[in-house]
mmCIF file of all heavy atoms in Angstrom:
data_model
loop_
_atom_site.group_PDB
_atom_site.id
_atom_site.type_symbol
_atom_site.label_atom_id
_atom_site.label_comp_id
_atom_site.label_asym_id
_atom_site.label_seq_id
_atom_site.Cartn_x
_atom_site.Cartn_y
_atom_site.Cartn_z
ATOM 1 N N TYR A 45 2.037 -6.328 5.216
ATOM 2 C CA TYR A 45 1.161 -6.388 6.390
ATOM 3 C C TYR A 45 -0.025 -7.111 6.160
ATOM 4 O O TYR A 45 -0.924 -6.559 5.325
ATOM 5 C CB TYR A 45 1.050 -4.918 6.838
ATOM 6 C CG TYR A 45 2.214 -4.124 7.156
ATOM 7 C CD1 TYR A 45 2.825 -3.393 6.062
ATOM 8 C CD2 TYR A 45 2.837 -4.166 8.460
ATOM 9 C CE1 TYR A 45 3.974 -2.598 6.408
ATOM 10 C CE2 TYR A 45 3.984 -3.341 8.667
ATOM 11 C CZ TYR A 45 4.569 -2.710 7.708
ATOM 12 O OH TYR A 45 5.704 -1.998 7.991
ATOM 13 N N GLY A 46 -0.169 -8.209 6.607
ATOM 14 C CA GLY A 46 -1.376 -9.085 6.439
ATOM 15 C C GLY A 46 -2.340 -9.207 7.537
ATOM 16 O O GLY A 46 -2.230 -8.398 8.445
ATOM 17 N N LEU A 47 -3.338 -9.948 7.395
ATOM 18 C CA LEU A 47 -4.351 -10.135 8.446
ATOM 19 C C LEU A 47 -3.895 -10.771 9.758
ATOM 20 O O LEU A 47 -4.427 -10.533 10.801
ATOM 21 C CB LEU A 47 -5.547 -10.904 7.846
ATOM 22 C CG LEU A 47 -6.202 -10.469 6.607
ATOM 23 C CD1 LEU A 47 -7.179 -11.329 6.024
ATOM 24 C CD2 LEU A 47 -6.630 -8.971 6.723
ATOM 25 N N SER A 48 -2.786 -11.580 9.657
ATOM 26 C CA SER A 48 -2.378 -12.217 10.878
ATOM 27 C C SER A 48 -0.920 -12.049 11.153
ATOM 28 O O SER A 48 -0.318 -12.717 11.969
ATOM 29 C CB SER A 48 -2.571 -13.776 10.738
ATOM 30 O OG SER A 48 -1.834 -14.272 9.737
ATOM 31 N N GLY A 49 -0.363 -11.004 10.612
ATOM 32 C CA GLY A 49 1.020 -10.616 10.915
ATOM 33 C C GLY A 49 1.584 -9.728 9.878
ATOM 34 O O GLY A 49 0.889 -9.288 8.996
ATOM 35 N N GLU A 50 2.984 -9.820 9.799
ATOM 36 C CA GLU A 50 3.626 -9.087 8.862
ATOM 37 C C GLU A 50 4.982 -9.841 8.244
ATOM 38 O O GLU A 50 5.462 -10.582 9.026
ATOM 39 C CB GLU A 50 4.145 -7.641 9.319
ATOM 40 C CG GLU A 50 5.180 -7.703 10.531
ATOM 41 C CD GLU A 50 5.381 -6.327 10.992
ATOM 42 O OE1 GLU A 50 4.404 -5.511 11.436
ATOM 43 O OE2 GLU A 50 6.609 -5.889 10.963
ATOM 44 N N CYS A 51 5.238 -9.564 7.067
ATOM 45 C CA CYS A 51 6.436 -10.400 6.507
ATOM 46 C C CYS A 51 7.389 -9.326 5.725
ATOM 47 O O CYS A 51 6.962 -8.590 4.999
ATOM 48 C CB CYS A 51 5.808 -11.268 5.469
ATOM 49 S SG CYS A 51 4.609 -12.633 6.052
ATOM 50 N N LYS A 52 8.660 -9.541 5.970
ATOM 51 C CA LYS A 52 9.570 -8.818 5.228
ATOM 52 C C LYS A 52 9.722 -9.560 3.867
ATOM 53 O O LYS A 52 9.840 -10.878 3.908
ATOM 54 C CB LYS A 52 10.958 -8.869 5.888
ATOM 55 C CG LYS A 52 11.051 -8.124 7.148
ATOM 56 C CD LYS A 52 12.380 -8.137 7.820
ATOM 57 C CE LYS A 52 12.381 -7.494 9.106
ATOM 58 N NZ LYS A 52 13.786 -7.605 9.777
ATOM 59 N N MET A 53 9.673 -8.819 2.745
ATOM 60 C CA MET A 53 9.826 -9.411 1.473
ATOM 61 C C MET A 53 11.252 -9.356 1.045
ATOM 62 O O MET A 53 11.686 -8.317 0.708
ATOM 63 C CB MET A 53 8.961 -8.470 0.503
ATOM 64 C CG MET A 53 7.421 -8.631 0.916
ATOM 65 S SD MET A 53 6.470 -7.265 0.117
ATOM 66 C CE MET A 53 6.493 -7.738 -1.521
ATOM 67 N N LEU A 54 11.788 -10.523 1.044
ATOM 68 C CA LEU A 54 13.368 -10.538 0.825
ATOM 69 C C LEU A 54 13.828 -11.425 -0.410
ATOM 70 O O LEU A 54 12.912 -12.170 -0.902
ATOM 71 C CB LEU A 54 14.026 -11.245 2.009
ATOM 72 C CG LEU A 54 13.777 -10.580 3.434
ATOM 73 C CD1 LEU A 54 14.450 -11.461 4.483
ATOM 74 C CD2 LEU A 54 14.308 -9.240 3.419
ATOM 75 N N ASN A 55 14.846 -11.053 -1.062
ATOM 76 C CA ASN A 55 15.471 -11.846 -2.083
ATOM 77 C C ASN A 55 14.616 -11.995 -3.305
ATOM 78 O O ASN A 55 14.183 -12.989 -3.853
ATOM 79 C CB ASN A 55 15.886 -13.195 -1.629
ATOM 80 C CG ASN A 55 16.793 -13.178 -0.474
ATOM 81 O OD1 ASN A 55 17.748 -12.399 -0.406
ATOM 82 N ND2 ASN A 55 16.549 -13.977 0.463
ATOM 83 N N PRO A 56 14.034 -10.786 -3.879
ATOM 84 C CA PRO A 56 13.149 -10.790 -5.008
ATOM 85 C C PRO A 56 13.791 -11.358 -6.305
ATOM 86 O O PRO A 56 15.020 -11.272 -6.577
ATOM 87 C CB PRO A 56 12.884 -9.300 -5.299
ATOM 88 C CG PRO A 56 14.074 -8.644 -4.767
ATOM 89 C CD PRO A 56 14.532 -9.419 -3.580
ATOM 90 N N VAL A 57 12.941 -12.298 -6.960
ATOM 91 C CA VAL A 57 13.422 -12.906 -8.164
ATOM 92 C C VAL A 57 12.264 -12.618 -9.064
ATOM 93 O O VAL A 57 11.300 -13.070 -8.999
ATOM 94 C CB VAL A 57 13.602 -14.450 -7.974
ATOM 95 C CG1 VAL A 57 14.003 -15.072 -9.283
ATOM 96 C CG2 VAL A 57 14.630 -14.915 -6.879
ATOM 97 N N ASN A 58 12.689 -11.994 -10.238
ATOM 98 C CA ASN A 58 11.839 -11.628 -11.361
ATOM 99 C C ASN A 58 11.520 -13.040 -12.062
ATOM 100 O O ASN A 58 12.294 -13.938 -12.257
ATOM 101 C CB ASN A 58 12.465 -10.711 -12.386
ATOM 102 C CG ASN A 58 12.525 -9.350 -11.777
ATOM 103 O OD1 ASN A 58 11.864 -8.929 -10.916
ATOM 104 N ND2 ASN A 58 13.684 -8.682 -12.297
ATOM 105 N N VAL A 59 10.242 -13.147 -12.393
ATOM 106 C CA VAL A 59 9.703 -14.365 -13.145
ATOM 107 C C VAL A 59 9.738 -13.983 -14.523
ATOM 108 O O VAL A 59 9.158 -13.023 -15.036
ATOM 109 C CB VAL A 59 8.281 -14.654 -12.646
ATOM 110 C CG1 VAL A 59 7.814 -15.964 -13.447
ATOM 111 C CG2 VAL A 59 8.232 -14.989 -11.102
ATOM 112 N N ARG A 60 10.446 -14.861 -15.241
ATOM 113 C CA ARG A 60 10.635 -14.541 -16.820
ATOM 114 C C ARG A 60 9.341 -14.518 -17.475
ATOM 115 O O ARG A 60 8.450 -15.352 -17.223
ATOM 116 C CB ARG A 60 11.561 -15.678 -17.231
ATOM 117 C CG ARG A 60 11.966 -15.534 -18.805
ATOM 118 C CD ARG A 60 12.928 -16.570 -19.243
ATOM 119 N NE ARG A 60 12.772 -17.925 -18.590
ATOM 120 C CZ ARG A 60 12.018 -18.787 -19.025
ATOM 121 N NH1 ARG A 60 11.354 -18.709 -20.141
ATOM 122 N NH2 ARG A 60 12.028 -20.045 -18.363
ATOM 123 N N ASP A 61 9.106 -13.582 -18.340
ATOM 124 C CA ASP A 61 7.971 -13.409 -19.319
ATOM 125 C C ASP A 61 6.652 -13.144 -18.520
ATOM 126 O O ASP A 61 5.603 -13.430 -19.037
ATOM 127 C CB ASP A 61 7.805 -14.556 -20.213
ATOM 128 C CG ASP A 61 9.001 -14.622 -21.143
ATOM 129 O OD1 ASP A 61 9.513 -13.646 -21.398
ATOM 130 O OD2 ASP A 61 9.225 -15.790 -21.669
ATOM 131 N N MET A 62 6.774 -12.771 -17.184
ATOM 132 C CA MET A 62 5.538 -12.549 -16.403
ATOM 133 C C MET A 62 5.798 -11.090 -15.670
ATOM 134 O O MET A 62 6.961 -10.900 -15.221
ATOM 135 C CB MET A 62 5.205 -13.644 -15.573
ATOM 136 C CG MET A 62 4.932 -14.831 -16.096
ATOM 137 S SD MET A 62 4.725 -16.232 -14.997
ATOM 138 C CE MET A 62 3.189 -15.738 -14.152
ATOM 139 N N ASN A 63 4.860 -10.399 -15.314
ATOM 140 C CA ASN A 63 4.936 -9.238 -14.484
ATOM 141 C C ASN A 63 4.811 -9.678 -13.069
ATOM 142 O O ASN A 63 3.717 -9.586 -12.411
ATOM 143 C CB ASN A 63 3.940 -8.186 -14.870
ATOM 144 C CG ASN A 63 4.227 -6.841 -14.148
ATOM 145 O OD1 ASN A 63 5.290 -6.746 -13.701
ATOM 146 N ND2 ASN A 63 3.230 -6.017 -14.306
ATOM 147 N N ALA A 64 5.900 -10.494 -12.621
ATOM 148 C CA ALA A 64 5.614 -11.087 -11.285
ATOM 149 C C ALA A 64 7.040 -11.235 -10.693
ATOM 150 O O ALA A 64 8.107 -11.220 -11.332
ATOM 151 C CB ALA A 64 5.066 -12.512 -11.411
ATOM 152 N N GLN A 65 7.134 -11.423 -9.332
ATOM 153 C CA GLN A 65 8.271 -11.628 -8.557
ATOM 154 C C GLN A 65 8.049 -12.590 -7.453
ATOM 155 O O GLN A 65 7.017 -12.624 -6.930
ATOM 156 C CB GLN A 65 8.888 -10.378 -7.947
ATOM 157 C CG GLN A 65 9.621 -9.443 -8.861
ATOM 158 C CD GLN A 65 10.280 -8.290 -8.048
ATOM 159 O OE1 GLN A 65 9.466 -7.541 -7.417
ATOM 160 N NE2 GLN A 65 11.411 -8.053 -8.231
ATOM 161 N N LEU A 66 9.066 -13.429 -7.214
ATOM 162 C CA LEU A 66 9.028 -14.413 -6.058
ATOM 163 C C LEU A 66 9.852 -13.720 -4.954
ATOM 164 O O LEU A 66 10.814 -13.074 -5.174
ATOM 165 C CB LEU A 66 9.710 -15.719 -6.373
ATOM 166 C CG LEU A 66 9.056 -16.663 -7.247
ATOM 167 C CD1 LEU A 66 9.946 -17.719 -7.806
ATOM 168 C CD2 LEU A 66 7.811 -17.330 -6.435
ATOM 169 N N PHE A 67 9.351 -13.972 -3.674
ATOM 170 C CA PHE A 67 9.973 -13.442 -2.530
ATOM 171 C C PHE A 67 10.168 -14.530 -1.486
ATOM 172 O O PHE A 67 9.334 -15.422 -1.340
ATOM 173 C CB PHE A 67 9.268 -12.288 -1.926
ATOM 174 C CG PHE A 67 9.285 -11.127 -2.718
ATOM 175 C CD1 PHE A 67 8.262 -10.822 -3.615
ATOM 176 C CD2 PHE A 67 10.132 -10.138 -2.541
ATOM 177 C CE1 PHE A 67 8.254 -9.643 -4.439
ATOM 178 C CE2 PHE A 67 10.220 -8.814 -3.170
ATOM 179 C CZ PHE A 67 9.320 -8.716 -4.032
ATOM 180 N N ASP A 68 11.267 -14.385 -0.791
ATOM 181 C CA ASP A 68 11.257 -15.095 0.527
ATOM 182 C C ASP A 68 10.762 -14.227 1.531
ATOM 183 O O ASP A 68 10.968 -13.048 1.698
ATOM 184 C CB ASP A 68 12.745 -15.315 0.912
ATOM 185 C CG ASP A 68 13.551 -16.229 0.020
ATOM 186 O OD1 ASP A 68 12.920 -17.175 -0.491
ATOM 187 O OD2 ASP A 68 14.749 -16.095 -0.081
ATOM 188 N N MET A 69 9.722 -14.700 2.229
ATOM 189 C CA MET A 69 8.965 -14.041 3.174
ATOM 190 C C MET A 69 9.289 -14.418 4.709
ATOM 191 O O MET A 69 9.066 -15.590 5.028
ATOM 192 C CB MET A 69 7.442 -14.228 2.947
ATOM 193 C CG MET A 69 6.983 -14.056 1.557
ATOM 194 S SD MET A 69 7.118 -12.306 1.109
ATOM 195 C CE MET A 69 5.476 -11.762 1.829
ATOM 196 N N GLU A 70 9.876 -13.611 5.361
ATOM 197 C CA GLU A 70 10.126 -13.676 6.759
ATOM 198 C C GLU A 70 9.087 -13.090 7.547
ATOM 199 O O GLU A 70 8.973 -11.902 7.616
ATOM 200 C CB GLU A 70 11.553 -13.223 7.169
ATOM 201 C CG GLU A 70 12.796 -14.056 6.536
ATOM 202 C CD GLU A 70 14.069 -13.508 7.070
ATOM 203 O OE1 GLU A 70 14.118 -12.493 7.879
ATOM 204 O OE2 GLU A 70 15.024 -13.925 6.597
ATOM 205 N N CYS A 71 8.315 -13.972 8.241
ATOM 206 C CA CYS A 71 6.995 -13.494 8.780
ATOM 207 C C CYS A 71 6.914 -13.713 10.319
ATOM 208 O O CYS A 71 7.613 -14.561 10.850
ATOM 209 C CB CYS A 71 5.903 -14.266 8.161
ATOM 210 S SG CYS A 71 5.817 -14.229 6.438
ATOM 211 N N LYS A 72 6.112 -12.730 10.963
ATOM 212 C CA LYS A 72 5.854 -12.901 12.423
ATOM 213 C C LYS A 72 4.562 -12.527 12.647
ATOM 214 O O LYS A 72 3.960 -11.808 11.888
ATOM 215 C CB LYS A 72 6.887 -12.121 13.148
ATOM 216 C CG LYS A 72 6.898 -10.677 12.926
ATOM 217 C CD LYS A 72 7.898 -9.799 13.708
ATOM 218 C CE LYS A 72 7.779 -8.321 13.314
ATOM 219 N NZ LYS A 72 8.766 -7.581 14.223
ATOM 220 N N GLY A 73 3.856 -13.219 13.636
ATOM 221 C CA GLY A 73 2.480 -12.977 14.008
ATOM 222 C C GLY A 73 2.460 -11.929 15.229
ATOM 223 O O GLY A 73 3.441 -11.464 15.664
ATOM 224 N N ALA A 74 1.187 -11.694 15.707
ATOM 225 C CA ALA A 74 1.116 -10.898 16.804
ATOM 226 C C ALA A 74 1.905 -11.504 18.006
ATOM 227 O O ALA A 74 2.428 -10.689 18.854
ATOM 228 C CB ALA A 74 -0.505 -10.725 17.172
ATOM 229 N N ASN A 75 1.861 -12.715 18.208
ATOM 230 C CA ASN A 75 2.739 -13.392 19.114
ATOM 231 C C ASN A 75 4.223 -13.520 18.633
ATOM 232 O O ASN A 75 4.438 -13.978 17.624
ATOM 233 C CB ASN A 75 2.272 -14.787 19.463
ATOM 234 C CG ASN A 75 2.903 -15.540 20.558
ATOM 235 O OD1 ASN A 75 4.063 -15.246 20.779
ATOM 236 N ND2 ASN A 75 2.407 -16.548 21.110
ATOM 237 N N PRO A 76 5.168 -12.873 19.491
ATOM 238 C CA PRO A 76 6.607 -12.771 18.992
ATOM 239 C C PRO A 76 7.048 -14.325 18.850
ATOM 240 O O PRO A 76 8.009 -14.356 18.119
ATOM 241 C CB PRO A 76 7.219 -12.045 20.079
ATOM 242 C CG PRO A 76 6.327 -11.841 21.182
ATOM 243 C CD PRO A 76 4.933 -12.127 20.746
ATOM 244 N N ASN A 77 6.569 -15.205 19.454
ATOM 245 C CA ASN A 77 7.101 -16.531 19.331
ATOM 246 C C ASN A 77 6.526 -17.293 18.031
ATOM 247 O O ASN A 77 7.063 -18.348 17.790
ATOM 248 C CB ASN A 77 6.725 -17.439 20.643
ATOM 249 C CG ASN A 77 7.314 -17.003 21.788
ATOM 250 O OD1 ASN A 77 8.473 -16.481 21.723
ATOM 251 N ND2 ASN A 77 6.711 -17.039 22.906
ATOM 252 N N PHE A 78 5.650 -16.617 17.355
ATOM 253 C CA PHE A 78 4.985 -17.274 16.209
ATOM 254 C C PHE A 78 5.695 -16.591 14.986
ATOM 255 O O PHE A 78 5.459 -15.545 14.596
ATOM 256 C CB PHE A 78 3.478 -16.893 16.160
ATOM 257 C CG PHE A 78 2.741 -17.708 15.007
ATOM 258 C CD1 PHE A 78 3.000 -19.069 14.836
ATOM 259 C CD2 PHE A 78 2.095 -16.983 14.159
ATOM 260 C CE1 PHE A 78 2.213 -19.634 13.751
ATOM 261 C CE2 PHE A 78 1.340 -17.555 13.121
ATOM 262 C CZ PHE A 78 1.513 -18.886 12.866
ATOM 263 N N GLN A 79 6.694 -17.303 14.470
ATOM 264 C CA GLN A 79 7.407 -16.833 13.219
ATOM 265 C C GLN A 79 7.438 -17.933 12.178
ATOM 266 O O GLN A 79 7.518 -19.162 12.582
ATOM 267 C CB GLN A 79 8.902 -16.424 13.632
ATOM 268 C CG GLN A 79 8.846 -15.230 14.566
ATOM 269 C CD GLN A 79 10.290 -14.790 15.029
ATOM 270 O OE1 GLN A 79 11.214 -15.332 14.520
ATOM 271 N NE2 GLN A 79 10.288 -13.874 15.912
ATOM 272 N N TRP A 80 7.478 -17.579 10.969
ATOM 273 C CA TRP A 80 7.648 -18.661 9.906
ATOM 274 C C TRP A 80 8.334 -18.010 8.632
ATOM 275 O O TRP A 80 8.453 -16.730 8.484
ATOM 276 C CB TRP A 80 6.323 -19.258 9.481
ATOM 277 C CG TRP A 80 5.369 -18.258 8.764
ATOM 278 C CD1 TRP A 80 5.069 -18.183 7.538
ATOM 279 C CD2 TRP A 80 4.429 -17.310 9.523
ATOM 280 N NE1 TRP A 80 4.107 -17.140 7.390
ATOM 281 C CE2 TRP A 80 3.784 -16.610 8.493
ATOM 282 C CE3 TRP A 80 4.273 -16.875 10.778
ATOM 283 C CZ2 TRP A 80 2.841 -15.498 8.825
ATOM 284 C CZ3 TRP A 80 3.433 -15.891 11.055
ATOM 285 C CH2 TRP A 80 2.792 -15.270 10.060
ATOM 286 N N THR A 81 8.835 -18.872 7.684
ATOM 287 C CA THR A 81 9.372 -18.341 6.433
ATOM 288 C C THR A 81 8.691 -19.071 5.314
ATOM 289 O O THR A 81 8.481 -20.288 5.405
ATOM 290 C CB THR A 81 10.880 -18.693 6.459
ATOM 291 O OG1 THR A 81 11.572 -18.202 7.630
ATOM 292 C CG2 THR A 81 11.583 -18.289 5.123
ATOM 293 N N GLU A 82 8.290 -18.375 4.363
ATOM 294 C CA GLU A 82 7.504 -19.046 3.148
ATOM 295 C C GLU A 82 8.141 -18.335 1.882
ATOM 296 O O GLU A 82 8.753 -17.337 2.035
ATOM 297 C CB GLU A 82 6.125 -18.701 3.198
ATOM 298 C CG GLU A 82 5.384 -19.491 4.218
ATOM 299 C CD GLU A 82 4.925 -20.827 3.616
ATOM 300 O OE1 GLU A 82 5.006 -21.077 2.440
ATOM 301 O OE2 GLU A 82 4.517 -21.589 4.491
ATOM 302 N N ARG A 83 7.877 -18.927 0.721
ATOM 303 C CA ARG A 83 8.053 -18.290 -0.503
ATOM 304 C C ARG A 83 6.691 -17.803 -1.054
ATOM 305 O O ARG A 83 5.730 -18.464 -0.772
ATOM 306 C CB ARG A 83 8.648 -19.233 -1.549
ATOM 307 C CG ARG A 83 10.032 -19.694 -1.219
ATOM 308 C CD ARG A 83 11.138 -18.847 -1.819
ATOM 309 N NE ARG A 83 11.291 -19.040 -3.326
ATOM 310 C CZ ARG A 83 11.919 -18.329 -3.903
ATOM 311 N NH1 ARG A 83 12.516 -17.266 -3.434
ATOM 312 N NH2 ARG A 83 11.999 -18.496 -5.262
ATOM 313 N N ALA A 84 6.663 -16.663 -1.642
ATOM 314 C CA ALA A 84 5.488 -16.152 -2.115
ATOM 315 C C ALA A 84 5.664 -15.550 -3.469
ATOM 316 O O ALA A 84 6.602 -14.963 -3.829
ATOM 317 C CB ALA A 84 4.808 -15.134 -1.167
ATOM 318 N N LEU A 85 4.645 -15.630 -4.375
ATOM 319 C CA LEU A 85 4.679 -15.170 -5.652
ATOM 320 C C LEU A 85 3.775 -13.917 -5.768
ATOM 321 O O LEU A 85 2.548 -13.946 -5.393
ATOM 322 C CB LEU A 85 4.243 -16.080 -6.790
ATOM 323 C CG LEU A 85 4.046 -15.558 -8.186
ATOM 324 C CD1 LEU A 85 5.333 -15.368 -8.802
ATOM 325 C CD2 LEU A 85 3.243 -16.502 -9.067
ATOM 326 N N PHE A 86 4.172 -12.797 -6.158
ATOM 327 C CA PHE A 86 3.334 -11.581 -6.218
ATOM 328 C C PHE A 86 3.190 -11.166 -7.782
ATOM 329 O O PHE A 86 4.225 -11.153 -8.495
ATOM 330 C CB PHE A 86 4.028 -10.325 -5.574
ATOM 331 C CG PHE A 86 3.909 -10.319 -4.078
ATOM 332 C CD1 PHE A 86 4.870 -11.319 -3.438
ATOM 333 C CD2 PHE A 86 3.116 -9.572 -3.330
ATOM 334 C CE1 PHE A 86 4.662 -11.335 -1.982
ATOM 335 C CE2 PHE A 86 3.069 -9.632 -2.026
ATOM 336 C CZ PHE A 86 3.940 -10.512 -1.258
#
Side-chain angles (χ1 to χ4, degrees):
Y45 299 93
L47 301 175
S48 61
E50 63 184 58
C51 302
K52 291 180 185 176
M53 301 166 63
L54 305 171
N55 306 317
V57 175
N58 292 328
V59 178
R60 182 175 32 93
D61 296 332
M62 298 174 72
N63 191 15
Q65 279 187 309
L66 283 166
F67 289 90
D68 292 330
M69 307 291 281
E70 288 185 0
C71 305
K72 61 182 177 180
N75 178 338
N77 295 324
F78 186 54
Q79 299 181 4
W80 68 99
T81 302
E82 284 279 344
R83 294 271 287 166
L85 174 76
F86 288 75

